[in-house]
Amino acid sequence: MSAGQPPFDAPEIRRLTPVIGPGHTYGSVTDKISAIVLTRPTSLGWFVGFSIAFSLMGLMTVAIGWLVIKGVGIWGINIPIGWGFAIVNFVWWIGIGHAGTLISAILFLLNQKWRTSINRFAEAMTLFAVACAGIFPLIHTGRPWMAFYMFPYPSTMGLWPQFRSPLIWDVFAVSTYGTVSLMFWFVGLIPDLATLRDRSVRKPLKIIYGMLSMGWRGSARHWHRYQSAYLLLAGLATPLVLSVHSVISFDFSIAIVPGWHTTIFPPYFVAGAIYSGFAMVLTIAIPLRKAYGLEDFITMRHLDNMAKVMLATGLIVAYGYFFEFFLSLYSGNKFDVFLVQQRLHGPYAPFYYALILCNILTPQLLWSFKMRHNVVILFIMSIVVNIGMWLERFVIVVISLTRDFVPSAWGRYSPTFWDWATFIGTIGMFVTLLFLFVRVLPAISIAEMRELVAETSEDDK
Amino acid sequence: MLHRSHIYGVMGEFGTPEELIHAVEKVREAGYRRLDAYAPFPVEGLSQALGLKRNLVPAITLLGGLAGGLGGFSFQYWAAAITYPMNIGGRPLNSWPAFIPVTFELTILGASLAAVFGMLALNGLPQPHHPVFNVHRFSHASSDRFFVCIESRDPKFDLADTARFLESLHAHHVSEVSDD
Amino acid sequence: MAQIFHRSTNFIARFSVFSALFLVGVALVAVLAVARSPYMTRQNVTREQPVQFSHKHHVGDDGIDCRYCHTGVETSAVAGIPPTKTCMNCHSVLYNTAAYLEPIRESYRSDKSIEWVKVHRLADFVYFNHSIHVNKGVGCSSCHGQINQMPLVFQADTLLMKWCLDCHRNPEQVLRPKDQVFNMDWSAPDNQAEIGAKLREEYKIRTTADLTSCSTCHR
Amino acid sequence: MDGMREHEQHDHIDGQHDRNEPAGDAKPHESPMDLATVRAKLQSKTGKQYWRTLEELAGDPQFAELLHREFPRQAPSEWDDSVDRRDFLKLMAASLAFAGLSGCGRTPEQYVVPYVKQPEGMVLGKPQFYATVMPFGADAIGLLVESHEGRPTKIEGNPDHPSSLGATNVFAQASVLNLYDPDRAQTVSKFGEIQTWSLFVDNAQAIAAEMKVARAGFRILTGIVTSPALAAQIQSLLTLFPQAKWHQWEPAVGDGTREGAKLAFGSYLNTVYRPEKADVILSLDSDFLGSGPGHIRYAREFSRRRKLNGPNDTMNRLYVVEPTPSVTGATADHRLPLRASEVELFARALAARLGLGGSAAIPPDAEKWLDAVAKDLQEHKGASLVVAGEPQPAEVHALAHAINATLGNVGTTLYYTEPVEAHPANHLESLRELCTDIDAGRVETLLILGGNPVYNAPHDFDFASKIKFDEKKNRKPVKNTIHVSSHFDETSELCDWHVAESHYLETWGDARAFDGTLGVIQPLIAPLYHTHSAREALAAFGDKPGVSDYEVLRDRLKAAYPSADFEKFWRKSLNDGVVAGSAFPPVNAALKFNVSSLAAAKTTPADDIEFLFRPDPCVYDGRFANNGWLQELPKPVTKLTWDNAALISPKTAEKLQLAHNVAWRGGEHGKIYSNVIDIALSNSKVTAAAWRLPGQADGVVVLPLGYGRKKAGYTGTNKGFNAYAVRTSDALWTAAAPSSAIKKTGDDYPLACTQYHFSMEGRQILATGTLEDYRKNPNFANEHAEAPPKELSLYKGEAEFPYDRDKWAMAIDLNKCNGCNACVVACQSENNIPVVGKDQVMRGREMHWIRIDRYYEKAKSATNDPSSYDESLFNPPTFFQPVPCQQCENAPCEQVCPVGATAHSAEGLNDMTYNRCIGTRYCSNNCPYKVRRFNFLRFQDWETPQLKLLRNPEVTVRSRGVMEKCTYCVQRINNARIESEKLNAPIRDGAIVTACQQACPTEAIIFGNANDQESRVAKLKAQQRNYSLLGELNSRPRTTYLAAVRNPNPELESA
């Protein structure tokens, strides 16, 4: 907890808890945020953290290289469990990505002021998460060098992708999602890049930021079109973010495997995605505001709101679990019923219980105001939820495959060293990119903060 | 630009959005038409003050979306049912329900691309060089200052008068904007 | 503040944006083009052979029937490269001292096979059957081109899957009367469309769906 | 081409890491040699020098070792490879493949190499079929062998041969792999050093000369010989050296059969059964449907009586008394688990019950069973059959003969003939005599034709010491020892000379089938290496050395079957594979045997454990140990691969606290850890993994023979445990010992088991019922799992795909299948299916396109684990279900493939296009039958030259990263279709026979055109017994099953 925070006990103060610290002017926000990138010296902590993350990323490249040499057989997958860690991680990462788009798009449409100070790095997080996710569908194929068969191009064979397959839907959904998120993020960055261009003293920096900002000069006419474009993007990103994880969930719900083939998946995958996404935003925001002293911009109000969103989505997820459970039993489908029993009594039961603990029981603490306002608790909670959501995907992907229709074909799955190496490696990649991001780009949207200053000052009058 | 002079215009600097809007209104009342305002963030009411009409970005976006969607579906139909019809698990050649997700995604993609690139194009970006950058204090336009620039193309433009006029609006600074 | 960029950069910037997009497009097209180019398909590329055997001479001038050497063509999947013996049938008498035929005689003496360079090559996972095509009125020249004009055999077509499909989708365009199958100079008559249709009936050629099923060529 | 050679070299170098050669002649401290260095050594030299260098090399043990590992392994062990050059070659190969497949890279030039003089009657690209026979024990299996451009690639049964009737068994199917086994011995060698054949012949002649003088000490040791030609040759040698003796030792065939006949009839006689004629059959520990002479034919005949066209049809009834589950036991209508020794008691009791005198006390719970059987047999006099098992002692066989006689079965359901064996004898005594003679120094020269006595002789004989150099006496017990065998094995090591033996597909010869029919062995390929047949080796000692098998055979036939036109007779015999009318006529055998005169039976104390020695269903007596196909073949009942295990009944295991636990990787479909036990028998010990086997008699431990080879080759060495190590002459088949003989070591051993879960979990997987059920409700199989109505489809109203031409479909009659596995190996051979090795099987990655599921009906459910004993596992009804790709019309796999690599053909085949597959494995996940197989690593061996010869050119060889599965043998379909199209004629029923169907002894698998109402498959599918596996999923499989119907005895059922 940083100093200078008002005490949070009296409800009226709670209501007035601002989304931006008191006494800020256009200049001060500009200085404070751009300073992180331009003037502030790179701390030792940054280097240490970065090098750790980077070496993990190195581990990933080794793992992938070995994979290309030997084949996916170096993983724990087998028949019947054709999908293991790769798909679990893929779904997990994509899910994490969702919070960014959601914060920047949906909250923008809902005109939620408090999004302003977190949307920038939330969007960055989205991009990096999608990048990590994108690796897995590619390398999990038996012949990654042939993966381009999945793209519609005029081949010498006169063949096209098979558009009935959810995997093709994935290809389009994920690539669209990546592109749109990137554009959304970049458009938001343009004015800030201009700021950096104008405030940086060193010529090379001026040139680089100058090129990136494309000569933005804050013309009223530009702002005019810029705003409508940004609004439209937000409007488009909102259905997109909902569709993407629905499509991901089709990978399972379209299939006939017991435990996969259920209609509840799309909504509860989306909810789960936002759930894990917000958890990840918290995981990043809490250390970030501490490290760079941004408590004024990322206030307890933000953390509190995010915690509430987590609680809400967590409850939707809980409902999803329950409904899935109920449907299986209610359907009377002997395969589904059996699978439910397997989750409770089968060899992988501990994972299911751990999942319930992480995703449903622990988050209930968030009902308490005190908990929501204890940064440490929030941080731990966010990590717990991330683990929980990973377990959810593991339970869905693996347990379902271990016990399907023909008992003679039942098997088991356990990850190999290379499964872990690839997974941890992507985490390394994610963190590496984050470190670079906070170092070279404003982690908070300066322009929007100025708007906020303007509005708050109006409020004062 | 059609006619080129050494002077691009005259620029006045203001401290707050309110001052800016007030200034712009005054300038337009004075009959100036070729002018632009610069702010570090979108200032509410500024567009009206400048008398800007609604822009084309939404229209372009709509077209992009339509193109993506229609193109997407018809391509899938063509690939699955016309160019190489295959019996996939007994499903009909035109399994349109299965084509919906891709169609949807392509709609979004088309619209988004149109929105962004349309916006940039209409704004004439990228444009790294611009006369206003010649003004020394203009660097504050991206942090905490607000500017009005009356361009020399304006028929009413006269370097001395216009400058004086701007000062009369309590501009903190008035500076001429050279164009080379 | 001073200008960071010169005026010209405005043009350069916009130009580079467009050219970037353009170049990407060009690159993609190039890749697709190369895959279809003779470099990849070896279309129209003549190859050096251990013996400069001229189909032009043997087929064109001497009028030897394809089946004299390629004995399997009507009965088997492979037409078959003739054994040295077949060459010697004639060349034990004709040109039996010609230097350029020494490899043949050498092979015959030493009982070592001649290593011909393979011209018409399909991937290992493609199972092409000569006999069914020949028996259903698809002529040699439809795929191999006018061999009787080739001093050294080259591949007249791309042999890409797309190319195979063209015929399998509408065989009518190449079907001929059975007696024309081995005629190298056959060219489609003007009314090929209707003749082809009739022949397709007559030969009981299967539906396009049958002919374009994966397992028709891949096993 | 050069690249290729390079490639091989690397392999030899790497070979050393991979191959765990027993520390034989290779000196560890010296850096081993590879072909490169050999070439280097030789290049410099010329003329004389060259040859001298070669001599030196030949003398160099390393060179011998090099030749030994001349060829890399047969089962790729991708997993434990270290990163080596091969990996990078693989990477290159991968990128090349990428280029080739995508058409985005230029592939190197290829060459066509035509014949110089093309053989008569050969059409390039068309396979040819030749008839031959595979000698096996006291039987010979008639075969038609498919040959591509002179390479035998596939074994099929010969319909004209009595012991085949067109079907085969696993050994026949896999024998073609033996031909191309890279580890085969390839030259004549002396003390492990390469010699020339002529040197051997000279040496043999020298020995022969000595013999003529010494007139003594020449001994020949063979297995069972049914080849008249070979026998005649041996006889001629015996006459040449009057003191010479012919010994025989066949480790896995009991003397009981022979001695039983002698005991019953006073002379050796051969028994031929006619199961087809029997209504009631009792098997006394006989696996007559799964092994032993004529079993393929017996299975066929038996299954004909299990055929049901409708509820009114009748079935035969099979009772089986056996200590350990066999495929015969699994097929039985009533199965009674008894300890091996109790089987004899049961036989005596039955004899007594049938009024043959004698008496015996049997377990009380068997009494009721006995009554029912006795009654049933009596009611079917003349139409019943009692079969005694090979491992059973002579008494049981004699009793069986007596019982069959009283039941009047002789002449109807069985008949007797002269012995098929050329020289019937008591093998145990024969071998014992040899050993005692050697000890007495009476043996000068020992010629071992085939076999591997050092490995498989009773261990109390200590055969190794009989031929090994004796340090103490400082001399060799036998002056000259010659071993003729296909591999340089445990015995070869200890012999002076080793003659690499030719494969039966490389030689001329003859062999008698179980009924005496003479089959002609004709070579399909010239010997691949410098190998020679046993006949040639014999001839080397005779007065006509160098006489060819061909002449020997023709002379023999000329003599035996004088005919006006011998050439015509010869050609016909070659063409048919059998000599017409050569079957032995029945002889009437007078029973000279009185049951009551039998001495009291040997019994095992109640609380002792009985240890049974049985040939392994996959590697037999060990001769197939180096055969990857058979090693990886799941054993019919246990579903174990790559190992044998001490089989113990769940109850006994519970007593001994022996358990399994399921590994996390692979799990139920792959890797099971089982407790390791020490078994101490007759002052010898063996360490084995214990396996709980439901249905095994309590107090019985089965020790399968044939494993624990020390020198079998890359694939077979050091797999499993060697049961011979505790097998003694006084207890060849059954050894009794107190349970203290079994000690837990505390270790666990991972076993590769392809199906551990044996309960159907109450699902409609394998529909079974009794004959009454079936008659009451013929539709019972379809009642739980109907496909949903089409109105429920999202696409209802849409036009369906017509499939109006040929509609390929398969029907599998579960009533006939006995789980013999022939189809699995046949499929592996036909479709170039790789062997993946134990480690990969344990990860659940075996590649078989058709698997045979084994379920125990009524076995307790849940996540059932045999580790917890349960009464339902005492004697559970066992069923087998072959599962190939079901070729669903609404294929779930196709819908989810992103690239359309699997799609339907116009005839409704579920095509799998490997070259389009990118390996997402989504199809496998979505396949409810889990019949798809994925190349997780590069399983195919692309380097070993011999294995290239083995491959079927009609089927793509799959590489890493692609999915594959059963295609209904689409290559056969296409060829048949092309032929029919040339004639514009429809494909007649039976023109297409899939590999599995072709191999099936019981005709359980029928393939054909479902649109043709006259086709066999359409008729079967029309039956009410016909049902779809998981039909409720609406996948509409083209492969359907006919419910298994058992015909229990109502008297036993009631209880």
Side-chain angles (χ1 to χ4, degrees), chain D residues 379-501:
Chain D
E379 283 168 359
H380 294 85
K381 280 191 185 303
S384 58
L385 175 61
V386 178
V387 187
E390 278 186 337
Q392 286 295 327
E395 290 73 10
V396 177
H397 288 265
L399 285 162
H401 293 307
I403 294 169
N404 279 320
T406 50
L407 291 173
N409 297 335
V410 182
T412 62
T413 63
L414 80 161
Y415 65 88
Y416 298 104
T417 73
E418 288 307 314
V420 167
E421 296 179 44
H423 180 55
N426 184 319
H427 285 201
L428 181 61
E429 293 319 314
S430 172
L431 185 65
R432 194 193 303 275
E433 185 190 7
L434 175 62
C435 294
T436 43
D437 286 2
I438 292 177
D439 293 340
R442 284 196 288 269
V443 181
E444 281 286 307
T445 303
L446 176 58
L447 172 58
I448 307 172
L449 297 179
N452 186 1
V454 169
Y455 165 69
N456 62 26
H459 100 275
D460 54 335
F461 286 3
D462 189 10
F463 196 84
S465 71
K466 304 289 185 283
I467 56 176
K468 206 162 63 217
F469 182 85
D470 186 336
E471 264 75 12
K472 280 197 249 65
K473 301 195 182 114
N474 190 25
R475 66 174 182 81
K476 299 223 303 302
V478 178
K479 184 141 151 282
N480 311 307
T481 49
I482 303 102
H483 187 216
V484 183
S485 70
S486 63
H487 288 66
F488 193 87
D489 57 24
E490 294 88 341
T491 306
S492 323
E493 263 187 317
L494 301 181
C495 293
D496 316 352
W497 284 86
H498 178 256
V499 177
E501 188 181 13

Side-chain angles (χ1 to χ4, degrees), chain A residues 207-244:
Chain A
I207 292 175
I208 294 167
Y209 287 124
M211 286 166 116
L212 290 173
S213 62
M214 297 195 295
W216 181 264
R217 55 185 188 276
S219 150
R221 293 184 161 73
H222 290 183
W223 279 122
H224 185 49
R225 303 198 185 87
Y226 177 94
Q227 276 180 296
S228 53
Y230 197 78
L231 184 65
L232 286 164
L233 272 185
L236 290 165
T238 307
L240 175 63
V241 71
L242 298 182
S243 79
V244 170

Side-chain angles (χ1 to χ4, degrees), chain A residues 42-56:
Chain A
T42 313
S43 66
L44 181 66
W46 187 93
F47 280 113
V48 173
F50 178 79
S51 39
I52 294 171
F54 192 72
S55 45
L56 288 180

